[in-house]
Amino acid sequence: MRILIATMQRVPYAAMAVLGLSLAATILFFEIKMGLLAPLSGFGQQVLTGCLLLGLLGYQWVLFAKRVRKDNSHMRQNLTIHRWVGVAATFVFALHAVRFGHVWMTGVSTVLFLIAVTGVFNRTVLGYRKNWMYLVWLFCHIGLSAALFPLVGVHIWVALAYQ
């Protein structure tokens, strides 16, 4: 327990991400309707939170672009922002999620959860002893992120087509 508390004090975004994932999982599994954005209609809330979520997820690719260009300026600051934007995305996903739907919608939710989980279990939290372990983690995190975008595109197309 002491190790868990020390880790959460050292990396507070991890605790917030776990809280966001727990909230999203509870909403999805028990199909709880979130009335936090009560002035908006159901569709209005979905569009607003969906656009916000899309913006947050799109911003996450800034770190990848900087790595590809080998631009290491402000890398620590960009990594910190990347982590907190990921935490914010989990909470926005909790507001956006309504229920598990068709197989592809369950796939979108599952991939998003896996991205968040792999994001939380990063090098700072787990401290990979071998470089190959870190590379496997990085491949999984970025690979899942790349797989998410076609799924999100299909989700947007279907959601707007049936409204």
Side-chain angles (χ1 to χ4, degrees):
M1 185 66 162
R2 197 170 25 154
I3 294 171
L4 183 63
I5 292 171
T7 302
M8 293 305 167
Q9 288 174 340
R10 195 181 66 211
V11 285
Y13 64 86
M16 294 298 292
V18 169
L19 180 65
L21 285 170
S22 300
L23 179 64
T26 302
I27 289 168
L28 282 172
F29 285 117
F30 296 111
E31 295 186 11
I32 299 170
K33 305 289 187 226
M34 295 295 286
L36 297 176
L37 301 173
L40 294 173
S41 67
F43 182 69
Q45 176 180 344
Q46 294 304 108
V47 170
L48 178 69
T49 57
C51 288
L52 183 57
L53 188 57
L54 193 61
L56 290 171
L57 293 175
Y59 178 80
Q60 294 296 72
W61 285 96
V62 167
L63 187 65
F64 179 74
K66 287 183 79 70
R67 282 181 186 250
V68 168
R69 289 186 311 217
K70 297 185 182 353
D71 179 8
N72 292 328
S73 62
H74 309 292
M75 188 55 85
R76 184 175 293 283
Q77 179 184 8
N78 288 331
L79 189 58
T80 301
I81 293 169
H82 177 84
R83 289 172 178 161
W84 282 106
V85 167
V87 169
T90 60
F91 281 99
V92 173
F93 176 70
L95 288 173
H96 183 71
V98 177
R99 67 189 182 297
F100 283 120
H102 302 286
V103 173
W104 61 269
M105 192 57 228
T106 303
V108 171
S109 298
T110 303
V111 170
L112 205 105
F113 272 102
L114 290 173
I115 292 167
V117 168
T118 57
V120 169
F121 294 135
N122 60 46
R123 189 182 347 202
T124 308
V125 174
L126 291 184
Y128 300 112
R129 297 179 198 275
K130 306 279 185 191
N131 192 46
W132 69 266
M133 296 168 84
Y134 167 72
L135 293 175
V136 167
W137 168 84
L138 188 64
F139 178 78
C140 289
H141 188 63
I142 293 174
L144 286 166
S145 300
L148 180 67
F149 271 89
L151 293 172
V152 168
V154 170
H155 168 64
I156 292 168
W157 177 63
V158 169
L160 294 177
Y162 286 102
Q163 285 302 324

